[in-house]
Amino acid sequence: GLGAELQQLNQSIRDVIRSNEEAIKKNERYTRSIIRWTAIMALSAVLTAGVGLWQIAILNRSVQETQELTKVAQEQLDLQLQPALMVKTYGLAGSSYKDLYLINIGNGAALNIKITSNNSRFLFVKISNLLEPKDEKVIYFLYDIKDTSKIPSEQFEKMIKHTISIPEVKELVIRIDYENINKKRFFTEVKISQDGVELINKGQIE
């Protein structure tokens, strides 16, 4: 009767408790499993990120080295293409009269050549737009002429000169501006005197 019912009730309570304990243990195992997998995934993410950062660092270094190599190659190419214009004088030994010539002693062709001087009495006639390496051309100029528009065309060539009198001009500073085939600009400055031709300055115009 009553004793059997109480015994059955106690057994039911113990079954419920045991079932709950088993459920709690399963949840603990599941929780621990989730924690382990989360830790593994986190570690994997860290390692993957590390590999990504390493790859980015290698890529950045490769890009930097490529840029440096490109710069060196461009500088070498510029040297190969760089013209260098210089003035030469020709004349009899001991003579005070000298013919002026422009020579390209560089490795590349010179373009868009312009000649000026510190002496306003000289007006240099536009020279050829191209001077190949080792080539030379006569430098022509007008002397003591301020306005070329007033010169009759039939007399223009007769007034062009290419010989200077050193005692008359004493020291003449000439500047030559020019470009290479890549449109980079350069200049040369020389001084012409009784002692000959002296290089004053040269370089690239930035």
Side-chain angles (χ1 to χ4, degrees):
L2 181 60
E5 290 178 359
L6 290 174
Q7 187 177 3
Q8 187 177 0
L9 179 60
N10 289 334
Q11 183 63 40
S12 298
I13 292 172
R14 285 196 294 270
D15 291 342
V16 170
I17 293 173
R18 185 168 54 250
S19 177
N20 288 338
E21 289 177 348
E22 290 177 356
I24 291 172
K25 290 179 179 179
K26 287 181 180 180
N27 286 336
E28 288 177 350
R29 287 195 298 269
Y30 180 71
T31 302
R32 286 196 295 269
S33 177
I34 291 177
I35 293 173
R36 283 198 299 270
W37 279 109
T38 302
I40 291 173
M41 293 174 66
L43 178 61
S44 176
V46 170
L47 293 176
T48 301
V51 171
L53 293 174
W54 175 76
Q55 290 175 335
I56 292 173
I58 292 297
L59 180 60
N60 288 339
R61 182 175 179 181
S62 177
V63 169
Q64 184 179 1
E65 290 177 350
T66 301
Q67 290 174 341
E68 292 175 354
L69 290 174
T70 301
K71 181 179 178 181
V72 171
Q74 184 62 49
E75 290 175 350
Q76 292 177 346
L77 179 61
D78 288 343
L79 288 176
Q80 294 175 359
L81 299 177
Q82 183 173 330
L85 300 190
M86 188 64 183
V87 175
K88 292 179 65 176
T89 59
Y90 292 97
L92 297 175
S95 173
S96 59
Y97 292 92
K98 302 292 182 181
D99 292 335
L100 298 180
Y101 281 79
L102 188 64
I103 183 172
N104 186 355
I105 59 176
N107 299 319
L111 306 170
N112 299 323
I113 303 167
K114 180 182 178 182
I115 303 176
T116 55
S117 80
N118 66 330
N119 191 328
S120 60
R121 301 175 73 180
F122 284 84
L123 180 61
F124 289 92
V125 178
K126 184 175 178 60
I127 202 166
S128 171
N129 275 338
L130 174 65
L131 192 60
E132 296 284 356
K134 307 301 183 285
D135 281 355
E136 60 181 40
K137 293 184 181 294
V138 178
I139 298 176
Y140 293 103
F141 60 90
L142 296 170
Y143 189 67
D144 267 347
I145 297 177
K146 303 297 184 183
D147 189 357
T148 58
S149 63
K150 296 180 180 180
I151 303 175
S153 56
E154 64 274 10
Q155 297 182 15
F156 189 82
E157 291 188 5
K158 296 179 181 179
M159 302 181 71
I160 294 177
K161 303 178 182 293
H162 59 85
T163 302
I164 65 171
S165 171
I166 300 297
E168 185 175 355
V169 300
K170 296 181 181 179
E171 289 185 352
L172 177 65
V173 175
I174 292 178
R175 177 184 169 107
I176 309 109
D177 290 271
Y178 49 97
E179 299 177 351
N180 68 1
I181 61 175
N182 286 335
K183 299 298 183 181
K184 291 189 176 182
R185 301 167 59 205
F186 302 88
F187 75 97
T188 303
E189 290 181 345
V190 300
K191 181 174 69 175
I192 302 173
S193 65
Q194 192 65 48
D195 297 327
V197 180
E198 176 187 352
L199 177 64
I200 299 176
N201 198 6
K202 66 175 182 178
Q204 182 176 341
I205 303 174
E206 300 296 339

